[in-house]
Amino acid sequence: MPDAALLRAPTLPDRLQRWLTDDWLRGIDAAFAALLAEQGGETDETVLILAALTSHIVGDGHTRLALDQAIREPLTLWSDPPPQTPGIETPIDWLDGLNLDAVRDRLAGSPAVETIDSRRTESRLTTPLVRHGDTLYLRRYWANEQLIERVLTERLQDQTAAIPALRQRLDTLFPPAGRDPDWQRVACALATRSRFTLITGGPGTGKTRTVLRLLGLLQSQRMDSHPGKPLRIRLAAPTGKAAARLGESISAEIDALPLPGSVRDAIPRSVSTLHRLLGPRPGSRLFRHDRHDPLHADLVVVDEASMIDQELTARLLDALRPETRLVLLGDKDQLASVEAGAVLGELCAGADAGHYTTATIDWVRTMAGDDIAAWQGAGTALQQHIVKLRESRRFSADSGIGAFAESVRSGDQAHAAALLDGPDPDIQRLPLTHDSDSAIETAATGGYQPYLAALRQSRPLGDDRDAITEWARIVLRSFTRFQVLATIRHGPLGVARLNERIAARLQHEGLIDRATGWFEGRPVMITRNDYELGLMNGDVGICLSTRLPGETASRLRVAFELADHSVRLLLPSRLDAVESVFAMTVHKSQGSEFDHVLVVLPTSGPAQTRAELLYTAATRARSGAVIAHPRA
């Protein structure tokens, strides 16, 4: 509910107060406009509303308000718009009536806005809003954008010395596979050229395999040239789950690298979260490591880069020494971060076509022996250091999930729809007659029965801690076989209501004892980093009834499997920020994989957002995905 004080704010235009009440805006959006009016002296209603809308789209994952698009297609500003009442003006109606020239004039005359034109891109003022052309920013996001652009430009200009015998080293790491080019090999070669490389690719294209061989390539060269002084390598990912997965993948493959044991031993197996790498300062958005206290690292690798927002990207770049190499890995087509700024997607613009210059093509041919001439183009300096891995080993050529994901990614809606109604058992449609259709609960109950059965059947009889730990691990891993994914948070098909509906059905079927509060079998997700407990945003636990040594009665404890595979058992009272995850949002599922997923899709929402959501959701599944949605 909006803050009552905001609704009474005399300086807040009537329109903003009404839109706040009707859930078109968040309380923080209206508070920002009220601050400009009360302390900044802004009196122009148009400026105040545009300021609130700029704040609103930051909350929806964007870093800037494109004024021309907002006026031309106002509905695109809301990924999950509230219901509209006929005859009541909405922000969509208001935007539809604006004139772009008039908006420019009003912003140019505002004391709250600094206007920066194409002849001057540096900022000289401290106004809360910045306008560059027909784009409006909150100042912090403008500053972040400029920092990212500046640091990347500097890194791309700093070409590194060629690695001796590069082609022979690549031949050792990438035995001939009968395909040309071998994009994993090309990625490793190009990553030796500069202090920044971006490797993108869909599920199963070998991003982790590629970066592991890159680590081996760079570390072996370093140990040849500087015996006893290996590269200081730091590995990170945005969430605890993603960090654990990268660590598991590297540990599973590192011993098979065709390199000396001394080199393999110098490649780290541990992966930290990006926040922990940078060192958060309690009670602050700042980190311990920045340009004044940079990271002690020669090479930093960050996995699942699509989940990194603009703010964290800026802080990471600010914390690197000029000589430190940075390698980002991620799927450019996956849903962007929850916070503002789809950095990976913006950096990877044009990656499908390559756009490699003649100089880059010649260098790759000479140094690596691969021919990438078919992807030639007049690309930017950045595009010469981006490689898309193009062959999926996770989804075969006849995989329904793979074909569906590619159809969604390419915008072929007709083919995607045909696949849902086709014979492929791994991608199916579950049509819903209405938003409250019980088919969702029926499918979810079937999907969650195995982990609840494992909970009952594997329960240890005594109080042996090792037996309890192994039981918890079995239940936790069984839970990852199936997941309901929601694309919105509110409404009958939103994540909150789906959790209630599924829990109620499981209780009705006798699979859990209760459907609210804390109960055995309740799956929960951590929603805020807790460094004291060692739990990160996105970590999933299961509530279990346990009796530990020395206890006379069982107590509910929540079990979490940590990145090092140890299990922690915590009393529910110690968990401050958790939510049930019989259903989780697609955003929260990033960095995870499940055997099967049930994706619950509403009928409304911008097409691009829906495409990214569907692509991300379907590719969380290893074996099967079911798409449930109301009939249009």
Side-chain angles (χ1 to χ4, degrees):
M1 290 296 292
D3 191 299
L6 281 173
L7 293 176
R8 297 192 300 270
T11 51
L12 203 61
D14 291 342
R15 282 190 173 99
L16 280 179
Q17 295 189 33
R18 184 170 63 252
W19 296 339
L20 174 63
T21 304
D22 293 343
D23 291 330
W24 286 97
L25 298 172
R26 303 171 300 163
I28 193 172
D29 307 329
F32 178 55
L35 183 69
L36 295 185
E38 294 170 5
Q39 298 188 22
E42 182 58 67
T43 60
D44 191 303
E45 181 190 46
T46 297
V47 174
L48 292 175
I49 292 176
L50 290 174
L53 291 176
T54 304
S55 173
H56 158 75
I57 63 166
V58 166
D60 213 30
H62 306 283
T63 59
R64 50 192 179 269
L65 177 65
L67 297 168
D68 53 347
Q69 182 180 7
I71 294 172
R72 187 176 64 254
E73 301 176 278
L75 185 58
T76 58
L77 270 60
W78 285 268
S79 59
D80 186 14
Q84 300 182 41
T85 303
I88 302 298
E89 183 191 44
T90 68
I92 294 173
D93 301 321
W94 182 83
L95 285 164
D96 194 50
L98 289 185
N99 175 274
L100 185 56
D101 289 332
V103 167
R104 294 184 185 122
D105 291 341
R106 289 178 180 272
L107 292 173
S110 171
V113 182
E114 178 183 13
T115 298
I116 298 178
D117 59 29
S118 58
R119 294 167 296 177
R120 180 178 66 84
T121 57
E122 75 277 8
S123 178
R124 298 174 181 172
L125 305 176
T126 57
T127 58
L129 292 165
V130 174
R131 180 172 74 92
H132 183 206
D134 287 330
T135 306
L136 194 60
Y137 297 79
L138 300 184
R139 176 164 293 278
R140 178 156 57 95
Y141 295 98
W142 164 260
N144 287 339
E145 186 175 288
Q146 299 307 299
L147 184 150
I148 292 170
E149 182 177 344
R150 175 179 56 79
V151 173
L152 290 183
T153 298
E154 292 171 353
R155 287 181 164 274
L156 295 174
Q157 291 174 344
D158 182 19
Q159 297 293 310
T160 58
I163 289 181
L166 175 60
R167 188 163 181 172
Q168 288 79 2
R169 294 177 187 269
L170 289 171
D171 288 341
T172 299
L173 293 166
F174 297 95
R179 57 181 178 273
D180 188 20
D182 181 338
W183 286 106
Q184 295 184 14
R185 177 186 174 105
V186 171
C188 282
L190 286 175
T192 67
R193 295 185 78 198
S194 77
R195 306 295 181 189
F196 177 76
T197 305
L198 199 162
I199 301 172
T200 185
T205 51
K207 295 185 290 294
T208 303
R209 179 179 186 270
T210 302
V211 82
L212 177 58
R213 279 154 179 74
L214 175 61
L215 297 179
L217 173 66
L218 295 175
Q219 192 66 281
S220 62
Q221 188 276 329
R222 170 65 173 239
M223 295 178 73
D224 286 347
S225 59
H226 297 78
K229 294 183 178 181
L231 291 171
R232 297 170 296 179
I233 301 172
R234 302 297 300 273
L235 308 178
T239 67
K241 284 190 299 183
R245 281 188 56 206
L246 179 60
E248 290 170 358
S249 298
I250 287 178
S251 296
E253 296 187 28
I254 196 169
D255 292 333
L257 278 179
L259 294 170
S262 59
V263 175
R264 296 198 302 270
D265 291 342
I267 297 175
R269 298 171 185 254
S270 62
V271 184
S272 73
T273 64
L274 195 49
H275 279 82
R276 188 177 294 279
L277 176 69
L278 295 176
R281 294 182 180 178
S284 168
R285 300 181 67 93
L286 303 178
F287 294 92
R288 180 169 66 86
H289 291 294
D290 57 17
R291 72 191 69 179
H292 305 295
D293 182 14
L295 287 165
H296 297 285
D298 301 303
L299 170 63
V300 173
V301 176
V302 182
D303 195 16
E304 295 287 357
S306 66
M307 300 169 65
I308 307 174
D309 59 70
Q310 186 209 60
E311 176 80 11
L312 196 53
T313 301
R315 302 288 73 78
L316 170 63
L317 292 174
D318 195 45
L320 297 180
R321 300 172 185 271
E323 64 272 17
T324 300
R325 293 180 189 266
L326 174 64
V327 177
L328 299 182
L329 305 174
D331 184 348
K332 69 179 181 63
D333 298 307
Q334 189 169 296
L335 197 63
S337 63
V338 176
E339 301 298 329
V343 178
L344 184 75
E346 292 189 6
L347 293 179
C348 285
D352 289 342
H355 296 295
Y356 297 114
T357 64
T358 301
T360 299
I361 292 169
D362 290 344
W363 186 92
V364 170
R365 185 182 292 115
T366 300
M367 302 300 292
D370 288 84
D371 185 2
I372 59 173
W375 288 267
Q376 183 172 358
T380 64
L382 174 63
Q383 288 171 328
Q384 310 313 301
H385 301 276
I386 297 174
V387 179
K388 178 183 176 181
L389 307 181
R390 301 168 187 270
E391 181 181 352
S392 176
R393 293 170 175 81
R394 177 169 152 194
F395 297 127
S396 63
D398 57 355
S399 163
I401 295 177
F404 178 77
E406 178 57 26
S407 297
V408 170
R409 189 195 71 80
S410 63
D412 190 346
Q413 297 181 16
H415 189 223
L419 288 166
L420 289 178
D421 296 320
D424 289 304
D426 57 343
I427 184 73
Q428 292 290 310
R429 184 198 305 273
L430 177 61
L432 306 177
T433 57
H434 49 78
D435 286 354
S436 300
D437 194 324
S438 62
I440 293 174
E441 291 95 310
T442 300
T445 298
Y448 287 132
Q449 276 183 337
Y451 99 86
L452 292 169
L455 186 158
R456 294 189 301 271
Q457 297 166 4
S458 303
R459 186 193 304 276
L461 298 178
D463 62 359
D464 181 78
R465 182 178 286 273
D466 289 341
I468 293 171
T469 295
E470 183 57 27
W471 170 52
R473 186 178 288 113
I474 290 171
V475 176
L476 285 164
R477 294 184 179 180
S478 181
F479 182 74
T480 67
R481 296 175 186 170
F482 175 81
Q483 183 64 56
V484 176
L485 301 178
T487 62
I488 56 176
R489 295 201 63 86
H490 306 293
L493 297 180
V495 66
R497 182 69 183 117
L498 287 175
N499 270 297
E500 295 172 358
R501 290 167 58 178
I502 295 168
R505 171 63 75 86
L506 292 173
Q507 182 189 27
H508 178 75
E509 298 290 338
L511 296 172
I512 57 177
D513 293 333
R514 54 184 297 185
T516 59
W518 287 101
F519 53 87
E520 186 170 48
R522 181 190 178 191
V524 296
M525 175 180 284
I526 299 296
T527 59
R528 186 174 62 243
N529 292 345
D530 190 326
Y531 294 101
E532 181 180 348
L533 296 179
L535 298 176
M536 298 293 109
N537 185 359
D539 287 348
V540 172
I542 305 288
C543 188
L544 301 174
S545 180
T546 58
R547 181 168 66 88
L548 298 181
E551 295 181 343
T552 58
S554 295
R555 305 179 69 182
L556 290 178
R557 290 181 171 88
V558 186
F560 294 90
E561 186 172 9
L562 306 183
D564 61 0
H565 304 300
S566 63
V567 171
R568 293 204 66 183
L569 296 169
L570 299 169
L571 295 173
S573 59
R574 298 192 65 188
L575 303 176
D576 293 330
V578 296
E579 61 186 20
S580 294
V581 283
F582 287 118
M584 70 171 67
T585 63
V586 177
H587 269 111
K588 290 290 189 180
S589 74
Q590 293 183 95
S592 299
E593 290 182 1
F594 311 95
D595 289 346
H596 295 84
V597 297
L598 171 63
V599 184
V600 182
L601 191 70
T603 54
S604 61
Q608 182 57 34
T609 301
R610 285 166 57 84
E612 291 175 350
L613 284 165
L614 260 181
Y615 175 89
T616 304
T619 55
R620 296 312 90 206
R622 302 185 190 95
S623 305
V626 174
I627 312 299
H629 65 91
R631 296 182 188 275

